Amino acid sequence: MAKASDNIEKKDCQEIMLPIKDALEILKGKWKLPIIVSLSFGSKRFKEISREISGITDRVLSKELKELEINYLLTRTVHDTFPPTVEYEITEHGLSLEKVIMELKDWGVEHRKKVIGN
């Protein structure tokens, strides 16, 4: 028989799980975080991002940029030049991921040491 405290723990688990699922839904895939990291060093044009992130195709980069823009993590600015130039810039909301990204980086460094060290 379940205790009252079991229900509280299950509720706590769900309160943690939902926002994590939301975050993973927005950041899923192997390219979104590298794009965010790239733009956290300053605004860039499409080809600059493409050159900085090795292995990403233009088609995938275009799709990922659109999704990040929809989720308010970056902005896309079209400049009135000929030909038109497009610049991408991280938003304040996108910059709020800095702490998460640095924690992931730190964990990745330690994980790499553990895996390569064994």
Side-chain angles (χ1 to χ4, degrees), residues 1-106:
M1 178 180 262
K3 298 180 264 175
S5 63
D6 290 341
N7 290 333
I8 292 170
E9 289 173 14
K10 287 179 185 175
K11 183 177 182 258
D12 290 343
C13 179
Q14 288 304 310
E15 287 176 3
I16 292 169
M17 200 71 65
L18 181 60
I20 288 174
K21 286 171 64 177
D22 291 345
L24 289 175
E25 181 64 29
I26 293 165
L27 300 172
K28 72 180 173 189
K30 70 183 201 178
W31 301 114
K32 286 190 179 88
L33 285 175
I35 292 167
I36 290 168
V37 169
S38 172
L39 291 173
S40 69
F41 287 91
S43 61
K44 294 185 173 88
R45 292 171 54 182
F46 185 91
K47 281 297 180 187
E48 291 175 296
I49 301 167
S50 179
R51 281 190 291 267
E52 199 164 83
I53 303 172
S54 63
I56 193 168
T57 64
D58 286 353
R59 183 173 157 231
V60 170
L61 177 57
S62 179
K63 179 180 108 19
E64 298 292 310
L65 287 167
K66 285 176 188 171
E67 289 180 18
L68 290 168
E69 184 180 13
I70 287 168
N71 285 290
Y72 307 105
L73 298 174
L74 62 84
T75 58
R76 178 182 184 268
T77 305
V78 180
H79 296 284
D80 190 18
T81 58
F82 185 79
T85 54
V86 179
E87 198 169 58
Y88 296 90
E89 186 173 11
I90 195 163
T91 62
E92 285 297 318
H93 186 53
L95 287 172
S96 71
L97 287 165
E98 180 181 16
K99 185 176 171 184
V100 173
I101 290 168
M102 294 312 290
E103 287 293 328
L104 277 171
K105 181 213 50 112
D106 292 345

